[in-house]
Amino acid sequence: MDEVPEKSTDDVAGEGGRPRGKRRVAVLLWVAAVAYALDLISKIIVVERLEGEPAVEVVGDLLRFTAVRNPGAAFGMGEALTIVFTVIAAAVIVVIFRIARKLYSTPWAIALGLLLGGAFGNLTDRVFRSPGVFQGAVVDFIAPAHFAVFNLADSAIVCGGVLIVILSFRGLDPDGTLHRD
């Protein structure tokens, strides 16, 4: 016999009668803003100080910072599909905002905030960087040995995705529902 999913106490009003779901959306937006700001600031610094310069060794040969313009996706694949990646990033942002309306879980708010901040970071590059609107190349600069070059937006997206997988395996839904098997 299946158990009825339990509802978290997050769906009730908190102090002052404010619904706690609004706080979760605030967490999502705060995490997204921090992730976006860190990505944007790091890319501004990289473009100003590293572009056209030799790589900077951070941890010997294991980790370097080097400015790379990537018109494609991960590992430089799909360089001719920049517009497709732009549309995908915009769609991800729309989906996150739709999910946020029913958000009652702080861990999900953090995960979605990371995804949102990362998507906005790379979307900003694709819209505003050369060679033109919706054709811009993403600025990547973190270069671990024997791995692709990436940026802080990519890191936020991966961390958010990993957190979503963990939350899903634990049975926690964005609406605060906990499924027990």
Side-chain angles (χ1 to χ4, degrees), residues 15-180:
E15 307 90 46
R18 273 185 45 199
R20 290 186 178 184
K22 291 189 188 307
R23 284 196 214 143
R24 301 313 182 264
V25 173
V27 168
L28 181 153
L29 294 175
W30 184 83
V31 169
V34 169
Y36 178 74
L38 290 173
D39 179 64
L40 187 61
I41 291 166
S42 67
K43 289 175 179 175
I44 289 169
I45 293 168
V46 165
V47 169
E48 285 180 2
R49 299 202 177 162
L50 285 180
E51 211 159 50
E53 299 293 329
V56 175
E57 289 186 1
V58 179
V59 182
D61 290 340
L62 297 177
L63 179 64
R64 297 177 297 130
F65 288 162
T66 185
V68 175
R69 297 286 181 123
N70 180 4
F75 307 106
M77 296 185 300
E79 290 184 18
L81 301 172
T82 303
I83 189 73
V84 173
F85 299 129
T86 304
V87 170
I88 290 170
V92 166
I93 290 166
V94 169
V95 168
I96 290 171
F97 278 117
R98 289 187 57 109
I99 291 171
R101 294 184 299 160
K102 297 179 182 178
L103 186 62
Y104 292 98
S105 165
T106 300
W108 270 94
I110 293 168
L112 292 173
L114 288 168
L115 286 178
L116 183 62
F120 264 123
N122 284 339
L123 184 61
T124 298
D125 282 0
R126 295 198 187 282
V127 172
F128 295 110
R129 294 204 188 271
S130 63
V133 177
F134 300 116
Q135 299 172 353
V138 173
V139 174
D140 289 332
F141 63 93
I142 304 169
H146 314 296
F147 196 72
V149 182
F150 58 95
N151 58 44
L152 295 180
D154 298 333
S155 297
I157 291 168
V158 169
C159 291
V162 167
L163 184 53
I164 287 172
V165 168
I166 291 168
L167 294 171
S168 296
F169 276 122
R170 296 194 71 202
L172 182 61
D173 289 339
D175 68 356
T177 303
L178 182 62
H179 299 279
R180 297 194 184 200

